[in-house]
Coordinates of all heavy atoms in Angstrom, one line a residue:
D10 N 37.8 -7.0 43.1 CA 37.4 -6.1 42.2 C 38.6 -5.2 41.4 O 38.4 -4.5 40.6 CB 36.4 -5.0 42.7 CG 36.9 -4.3 44.0 OD1 37.9 -4.9 44.6 OD2 36.4 -3.4 44.4
I11 N 39.9 -5.7 41.9 CA 41.0 -4.9 41.3 C 41.9 -5.9 40.7 O 42.4 -6.9 41.3 CB 41.8 -4.1 42.4 CG1 40.8 -3.0 43.0 CG2 43.1 -3.5 41.8 CD1 41.4 -2.3 44.1
H12 N 42.2 -5.7 39.4 CA 43.1 -6.6 38.7 C 44.1 -5.8 37.9 O 43.9 -4.7 37.4 CB 42.3 -7.5 37.7 CG 41.2 -8.2 38.2 ND1 41.5 -9.4 38.9 CD2 39.9 -8.0 38.2 CE1 40.3 -9.9 39.4 NE2 39.3 -9.1 38.9
L13 N 45.3 -6.3 37.8 CA 46.5 -5.6 37.1 C 46.7 -6.3 35.9 O 46.8 -7.6 35.9 CB 47.7 -5.5 38.0 CG 47.7 -4.6 39.1 CD1 49.1 -4.7 39.8 CD2 47.5 -3.1 38.7
H14 N 47.0 -5.6 34.8 CA 47.4 -6.2 33.6 C 48.9 -6.4 33.6 O 49.6 -5.5 34.0 CB 47.0 -5.4 32.3 CG 47.1 -6.1 31.1 ND1 48.3 -6.3 30.4 CD2 46.2 -6.9 30.4 CE1 48.0 -7.1 29.3 NE2 46.8 -7.4 29.3
P15 N 49.5 -7.5 33.3 CA 51.0 -7.7 33.4 C 51.8 -6.7 32.5 O 52.9 -6.5 32.8 CB 51.3 -9.1 32.9 CG 49.9 -9.8 33.0 CD 48.8 -8.8 32.9
N16 N 51.1 -6.0 31.5 CA 51.9 -5.0 30.7 C 52.2 -3.8 31.5 O 53.0 -3.1 31.1 CB 51.1 -4.6 29.4 CG 51.0 -5.8 28.5 OD1 51.6 -6.7 28.5 ND2 50.1 -5.6 27.5
E17 N 51.6 -3.7 32.7 CA 51.8 -2.5 33.5 C 53.1 -2.7 34.4 O 53.5 -1.6 35.0 CB 50.6 -2.1 34.5 CG 49.4 -1.9 33.7 CD 48.2 -1.6 34.7 OE1 48.5 -0.9 35.7 OE2 47.1 -2.1 34.3
L18 N 53.7 -3.9 34.4 CA 54.9 -4.2 35.2 C 56.1 -4.1 34.3 O 56.0 -4.7 33.1 CB 54.8 -5.5 35.8 CG 53.5 -5.8 36.6 CD1 53.6 -7.2 37.2 CD2 53.4 -4.8 37.7
H19 N 57.1 -3.5 34.6 CA 58.4 -3.4 33.8 C 59.5 -4.1 34.6 O 59.8 -3.6 35.8 CB 58.6 -1.9 33.5 CG 57.6 -1.3 32.8 ND1 57.3 -1.4 31.4 CD2 56.6 -0.3 33.2 CE1 56.3 -0.8 31.1 NE2 55.9 -0.1 32.1
F20 N 60.1 -5.1 34.0 CA 61.2 -5.8 34.7 C 62.5 -5.4 34.0 O 62.6 -5.2 32.8 CB 61.0 -7.3 34.5 CG 59.7 -7.8 35.1 CD1 58.5 -8.0 34.4 CD2 59.7 -8.1 36.5 CE1 57.3 -8.5 35.0 CE2 58.6 -8.6 37.1 CZ 57.4 -8.7 36.4
T21 N 63.5 -5.3 34.9 CA 64.9 -5.1 34.4 C 65.8 -6.1 35.1 O 65.7 -6.2 36.4 CB 65.4 -3.7 34.8 OG1 64.4 -2.7 34.4 CG2 66.7 -3.4 34.2
A22 N 66.6 -6.9 34.3 CA 67.5 -7.8 34.9 C 68.8 -7.2 35.1 O 69.3 -6.4 34.3 CB 67.6 -9.0 34.1
M23 N 69.5 -7.5 36.3 CA 70.8 -7.1 36.7 C 71.5 -8.1 37.4 O 70.9 -9.1 37.9 CB 70.8 -5.7 37.3 CG 70.0 -5.8 38.6 SD 69.6 -4.3 39.4 CE 68.7 -3.5 38.0
R24 N 72.8 -7.9 37.6 CA 73.6 -8.8 38.4 C 73.3 -8.5 39.8 O 73.3 -7.4 40.4 CB 75.1 -8.6 38.2 CG 75.5 -9.2 36.7 CD 77.0 -9.2 36.6 NE 77.5 -8.0 36.3 CZ 78.1 -7.6 35.3 NH1 78.5 -8.5 34.4 NH2 78.5 -6.4 35.0
A25 N 73.2 -9.7 40.6 CA 72.8 -9.6 42.0 C 74.1 -9.2 42.8 O 75.2 -9.3 42.5 CB 72.4 -10.9 42.5
Q26 N 73.8 -8.6 44.0 CA 74.9 -8.3 44.9 C 75.1 -9.4 45.9 O 74.4 -10.3 46.0 CB 74.4 -7.1 45.8 CG 74.2 -5.8 45.0 CD 73.6 -4.8 45.9 OE1 72.8 -5.1 46.7 NE2 73.9 -3.5 45.4
G27 N 76.3 -9.3 46.6 CA 76.6 -10.2 47.7 C 77.3 -11.5 47.2 O 77.7 -11.6 46.0
A28 N 77.4 -12.4 48.0 CA 78.2 -13.7 47.8 C 77.5 -14.5 46.7 O 76.3 -14.5 46.6 CB 78.3 -14.5 49.1
G29 N 78.1 -15.4 46.1 CA 77.6 -16.2 45.1 C 78.7 -16.8 44.1 O 78.3 -17.6 43.3
G30 N 79.8 -16.5 44.3 CA 80.9 -17.1 43.5 C 80.8 -16.4 42.1 O 80.4 -15.4 41.8
Q31 N 81.2 -17.4 41.1 CA 81.4 -16.9 39.8 C 80.0 -16.6 39.1 O 79.8 -15.7 38.3 CB 82.1 -18.0 38.9 CG 83.5 -18.0 39.2 CD 84.3 -19.1 38.4 OE1 83.6 -19.8 37.7 NE2 85.5 -19.2 38.6
N32 N 79.0 -17.3 39.6 CA 77.6 -17.2 39.0 C 77.1 -15.7 39.2 O 76.5 -15.3 38.3 CB 76.7 -18.2 39.7 CG 75.3 -18.2 39.0 OD1 75.3 -18.6 37.8 ND2 74.4 -18.0 39.8
V33 N 77.4 -15.2 40.3 CA 76.8 -13.9 40.6 C 77.6 -12.8 39.7 O 77.0 -11.8 39.4 CB 77.0 -13.5 42.1 CG1 78.3 -13.1 42.5 CG2 76.0 -12.4 42.5
N34 N 78.8 -13.1 39.3 CA 79.6 -12.1 38.5 C 79.2 -12.3 37.0 O 79.5 -11.4 36.2 CB 81.0 -12.4 38.7 CG 81.5 -12.1 40.0 OD1 80.9 -11.3 40.8 ND2 82.5 -12.8 40.6
K35 N 78.7 -13.4 36.6 CA 78.5 -13.7 35.2 C 76.9 -13.6 34.8 O 76.6 -13.0 33.6 CB 78.8 -15.1 34.7 CG 80.3 -15.4 35.0 CD 80.6 -16.7 34.4 CE 79.8 -17.9 35.2 NZ 80.3 -19.2 34.7
V36 N 76.1 -13.9 35.5 CA 74.6 -13.9 35.2 C 73.7 -12.9 35.8 O 74.0 -12.6 37.0 CB 74.1 -15.4 35.6 CG1 72.7 -15.5 35.1 CG2 75.0 -16.5 35.2
S37 N 72.9 -12.2 35.1 CA 72.0 -11.2 35.6 C 70.8 -11.9 36.1 O 69.8 -12.2 35.3 CB 71.6 -10.3 34.5 OG 72.7 -9.6 33.9
T38 N 70.7 -12.2 37.4 CA 69.6 -12.9 38.0 C 68.7 -12.0 38.8 O 67.6 -12.3 39.0 CB 70.1 -14.2 38.9 OG1 71.0 -13.5 39.9 CG2 70.8 -15.1 38.1
A39 N 69.3 -10.9 39.3 CA 68.4 -10.0 40.1 C 67.5 -9.3 39.2 O 67.7 -9.0 38.1 CB 69.3 -9.0 40.8
I40 N 66.3 -8.9 39.8 CA 65.2 -8.2 39.0 C 64.8 -7.0 39.7 O 64.6 -7.0 40.9 CB 64.0 -9.2 38.9 CG1 64.3 -10.4 38.1 CG2 62.8 -8.6 38.4 CD1 64.4 -10.2 36.6
H41 N 64.7 -5.9 38.9 CA 64.1 -4.7 39.4 C 62.7 -4.6 38.8 O 62.6 -4.7 37.5 CB 64.9 -3.4 38.9 CG 65.8 -2.9 40.0 ND1 66.5 -1.8 39.8 CD2 66.1 -3.4 41.2 CE1 67.1 -1.5 40.8 NE2 67.0 -2.5 41.7
L42 N 61.6 -4.6 39.6 CA 60.2 -4.5 39.2 C 59.9 -3.1 39.3 O 59.9 -2.6 40.4 CB 59.4 -5.4 39.9 CG 57.8 -5.1 39.8 CD1 57.3 -5.4 38.4 CD2 57.1 -6.2 40.7
R43 N 59.5 -2.4 38.3 CA 58.9 -1.0 38.3 C 57.4 -1.0 38.0 O 57.1 -1.6 36.9 CB 59.7 -0.1 37.4 CG 61.1 0.0 37.7 CD 61.8 1.0 36.6 NE 63.1 1.2 37.0 CZ 63.6 1.9 37.9 NH1 62.9 2.8 38.6 NH2 64.9 2.0 38.2
F44 N 56.7 -0.4 38.9 CA 55.2 -0.3 38.7 C 54.9 1.2 38.9 O 55.0 1.7 40.0 CB 54.5 -1.2 39.7 CG 53.0 -1.0 39.7 CD1 52.4 -1.4 38.5 CD2 52.3 -0.6 40.7 CE1 50.9 -1.2 38.5 CE2 51.0 -0.4 40.7 CZ 50.3 -0.8 39.6
N45 N 54.4 1.9 37.8 CA 54.0 3.3 37.9 C 52.5 3.3 38.4 O 51.7 3.0 37.7 CB 54.1 3.9 36.5 CG 53.9 5.4 36.5 OD1 53.4 5.9 37.5 ND2 54.5 6.1 35.6
V46 N 52.3 3.7 39.6 CA 51.1 3.7 40.3 C 50.2 4.7 39.6 O 49.1 4.5 39.3 CB 51.1 4.1 41.8 CG1 49.8 4.2 42.4 CG2 52.0 3.0 42.5
R47 N 50.7 5.9 39.2 CA 49.9 7.0 38.7 C 49.4 6.6 37.2 O 48.3 7.0 36.9 CB 50.7 8.3 38.6 CG 50.9 8.9 40.0 CD 51.3 10.4 39.9 NE 51.4 11.0 41.2 CZ 52.5 11.2 41.9 NH1 53.7 10.9 41.3 NH2 52.5 11.7 43.1
A48 N 50.2 5.9 36.5 CA 49.8 5.5 35.1 C 49.1 4.2 35.0 O 48.9 3.7 33.9 CB 51.1 5.5 34.2
S49 N 48.8 3.5 36.2 CA 48.2 2.1 36.1 C 46.7 2.3 35.9 O 46.1 3.3 35.9 CB 48.5 1.5 37.5 OG 47.8 2.1 38.5
S50 N 46.1 1.1 35.7 CA 44.7 1.0 35.5 C 43.9 0.9 36.8 O 42.8 0.6 36.8 CB 44.4 -0.2 34.7 OG 44.8 -1.4 35.3
L51 N 44.6 1.2 38.0 CA 43.9 1.0 39.3 C 42.9 2.2 39.3 O 43.0 3.2 38.8 CB 44.9 1.2 40.5 CG 45.9 0.1 40.5 CD1 47.1 0.5 41.5 CD2 45.3 -1.2 41.0
P52 N 41.8 1.9 40.2 CA 40.8 3.0 40.4 C 41.5 4.3 41.2 O 42.5 4.1 41.8 CB 39.7 2.3 41.3 CG 40.0 0.9 41.3 CD 41.4 0.7 40.8
A53 N 40.9 5.4 40.9 CA 41.5 6.6 41.6 C 41.7 6.5 43.1 O 42.7 6.9 43.6 CB 40.7 7.8 41.2
W54 N 40.7 6.0 43.8 CA 40.7 5.8 45.2 C 41.8 5.0 45.6 O 42.5 5.1 46.6 CB 39.4 5.3 45.8 CG 39.0 4.0 45.4 CD1 38.2 3.6 44.3 CD2 39.4 2.9 46.0 NE1 38.1 2.3 44.3 CE2 38.8 1.8 45.3 CE3 40.2 2.5 47.2 CZ2 39.0 0.4 45.6 CZ3 40.4 1.2 47.5 CH2 39.7 0.1 46.7
A55 N 42.1 3.9 44.9 CA 43.2 2.9 45.2 C 44.6 3.7 45.0 O 45.5 3.4 45.8 CB 43.1 1.7 44.3
K56 N 44.7 4.4 43.9 CA 45.9 5.1 43.6 C 46.2 6.0 44.7 O 47.4 6.1 45.2 CB 45.9 5.9 42.3 CG 45.9 5.0 41.0 CD 45.8 5.9 39.9 CE 45.6 5.1 38.6 NZ 45.5 5.9 37.4
D57 N 45.3 6.8 45.2 CA 45.4 7.7 46.3 C 45.8 7.0 47.5 O 46.8 7.5 48.2 CB 44.2 8.5 46.6 CG 43.8 9.4 45.4 OD1 44.6 9.8 44.6 OD2 42.6 9.8 45.5
K58 N 45.3 5.9 47.9 CA 45.6 5.2 49.1 C 47.0 4.6 49.0 O 47.8 4.7 50.0 CB 44.7 4.0 49.3 CG 44.0 4.0 50.6 CD 43.0 2.9 50.7 CE 42.8 2.6 52.2 NZ 41.8 1.6 52.5
I59 N 47.4 4.2 47.8 CA 48.9 3.6 47.6 C 49.9 4.7 47.7 O 50.9 4.6 48.4 CB 48.9 2.9 46.3 CG1 48.1 1.6 46.4 CG2 50.4 2.5 45.9 CD1 47.8 0.9 45.1
L60 N 49.6 5.8 47.0 CA 50.5 7.0 46.9 C 50.6 7.6 48.4 O 51.7 8.2 48.7 CB 50.1 7.9 46.0 CG 50.3 7.5 44.6 CD1 49.7 8.6 43.6 CD2 51.7 7.2 44.1
A61 N 49.6 7.4 49.3 CA 49.7 8.0 50.6 C 50.6 7.1 51.6 O 51.0 7.6 52.7 CB 48.4 8.0 51.3
Q62 N 51.1 5.9 51.1 CA 51.8 5.1 51.9 C 53.3 5.7 52.1 O 53.8 6.3 51.2 CB 52.1 3.8 51.2 CG 50.9 2.9 51.1 CD 50.3 2.4 52.4 OE1 51.2 1.8 53.2 NE2 49.1 2.6 52.8
R63 N 53.9 5.6 53.2 CA 55.2 6.0 53.5 C 56.2 4.9 53.4 O 56.4 4.2 54.4 CB 55.2 6.7 55.0 CG 54.3 7.9 55.0 CD 54.5 8.6 56.4 NE 55.8 8.8 56.9 CZ 56.5 9.9 56.7 NH1 55.9 10.9 56.0 NH2 57.7 10.0 57.1
D64 N 56.7 4.6 52.2 CA 57.4 3.5 51.9 C 58.6 4.0 51.1 O 58.4 4.6 50.2 CB 56.7 2.4 51.2 CG 57.3 1.1 51.3 OD1 58.4 1.0 50.6 OD2 57.0 0.2 51.9
R65 N 59.8 3.5 51.5 CA 61.0 4.0 50.7 C 61.0 3.5 49.3 O 61.8 4.0 48.4 CB 62.4 3.7 51.4 CG 62.6 2.2 51.6 CD 63.8 2.0 52.6 NE 64.0 0.6 52.8 CZ 64.6 -0.3 52.0 NH1 65.1 0.1 50.9 NH2 64.7 -1.6 52.4
R66 N 60.3 2.4 49.1 CA 60.3 1.9 47.6 C 59.4 2.6 46.7 O 59.5 2.5 45.5 CB 59.8 0.3 47.7 CG 60.7 -0.6 48.5 CD 60.0 -1.9 48.7 NE 58.9 -1.8 49.5 CZ 58.1 -2.8 49.9 NH1 58.4 -4.0 49.5 NH2 57.1 -2.6 50.7
L67 N 58.6 3.5 47.3 CA 57.7 4.4 46.4 C 58.4 5.7 46.3 O 58.5 6.5 47.2 CB 56.4 4.5 47.1 CG 55.2 5.1 46.4 CD1 55.0 4.3 45.1 CD2 54.1 5.1 47.3
G68 N 58.7 6.1 45.0 CA 59.4 7.4 44.7 C 58.3 8.5 44.7 O 57.1 8.3 44.6
Q69 N 58.9 9.8 44.6 CA 58.0 10.9 44.5 C 57.3 10.9 43.2 O 56.2 11.5 43.1 CB 58.9 12.2 44.6 CG 59.6 12.4 45.9 CD 58.6 13.0 46.8 OE1 57.4 12.8 46.7 NE2 59.1 13.6 47.9
D70 N 57.8 10.3 42.1 CA 57.1 10.3 40.7 C 56.0 9.3 40.8 O 55.4 9.0 39.7 CB 58.2 10.0 39.7 CG 59.0 8.8 40.0 OD1 58.9 8.2 41.0 OD2 59.8 8.4 39.1
G71 N 55.9 8.5 41.8 CA 54.7 7.5 41.9 C 55.1 6.2 41.3 O 54.2 5.4 41.0
V72 N 56.5 5.9 41.2 CA 56.9 4.6 40.7 C 57.3 3.8 41.9 O 58.1 4.2 42.6 CB 58.0 4.8 39.7 CG1 58.6 3.5 39.2 CG2 57.6 5.6 38.5
L73 N 56.8 2.7 42.0 CA 57.1 1.7 43.0 C 58.2 0.7 42.5 O 58.1 0.1 41.4 CB 55.9 0.8 43.5 CG 56.1 -0.2 44.5 CD1 56.3 0.5 45.9 CD2 54.9 -1.2 44.6
V74 N 59.4 0.7 43.2 CA 60.5 -0.2 42.7 C 60.7 -1.3 43.7 O 61.0 -1.1 44.8 CB 61.8 0.7 42.6 CG1 62.9 -0.3 42.0 CG2 61.5 1.8 41.5
I75 N 60.7 -2.5 43.2 CA 60.9 -3.7 44.1 C 62.1 -4.5 43.4 O 62.1 -4.8 42.3 CB 59.7 -4.6 44.2 CG1 58.6 -3.8 44.9 CG2 60.0 -5.9 44.9 CD1 57.3 -4.6 45.0
K76 N 63.2 -4.7 44.3 CA 64.3 -5.4 43.9 C 64.3 -6.9 44.5 O 64.2 -7.0 45.7 CB 65.6 -4.7 44.4 CG 66.9 -5.3 43.9 CD 68.1 -4.5 44.2 CE 69.3 -5.3 43.5 NZ 70.5 -4.5 44.0
A77 N 64.4 -7.8 43.6 CA 64.3 -9.2 44.0 C 65.6 -9.8 43.7 O 65.9 -9.9 42.5 CB 63.1 -9.8 43.4
Q78 N 66.3 -10.4 44.6 CA 67.6 -11.1 44.3 C 67.8 -12.3 45.3 O 69.0 -12.7 45.6 CB 68.8 -10.1 44.4 CG 68.9 -9.4 45.8 CD 70.2 -8.5 45.7 OE1 70.8 -8.2 44.7 NE2 70.6 -8.1 46.9
R79 N 66.7 -12.7 45.8 CA 66.8 -13.8 46.8 C 67.2 -15.2 46.2 O 67.9 -15.9 46.9 CB 65.4 -13.9 47.5 CG 65.3 -14.8 48.7 CD 63.9 -14.8 49.2 NE 63.3 -13.5 49.4 CZ 62.0 -13.3 49.8 NH1 61.3 -14.3 50.1 NH2 61.6 -12.1 49.9

Side-chain angles (χ1 to χ4, degrees):
D10 53 342
I11 299 175
H12 304 286
L13 285 180
H14 196 275
N16 290 347
E17 297 180 45
L18 310 179
H19 301 284
F20 297 97
T21 310
M23 62 192 54
R24 286 190 286 236
Q26 297 172 327
Q31 291 179 353
N32 190 58
V33 80
N34 297 327
K35 294 188 301 186
V36 186
S37 297
T38 56
I40 293 288
H41 260 186
L42 165 63
R43 293 180 181 278
F44 175 65
N45 191 338
V46 177
R47 289 196 175 104
S49 68
S50 63
L51 294 171
W54 65 268
K56 289 179 188 180
D57 293 340
K58 238 178 158 178
I59 292 166
L60 291 171
Q62 295 290 310
R63 295 180 52 92
D64 195 293
R65 62 184 174 86
R66 297 173 291 184
L67 190 59
Q69 292 284 22
D70 54 352
V72 176
L73 180 70
V74 179
I75 295 178
K76 184 174 183 182
Q78 60 178 11
R79 192 180 309 174

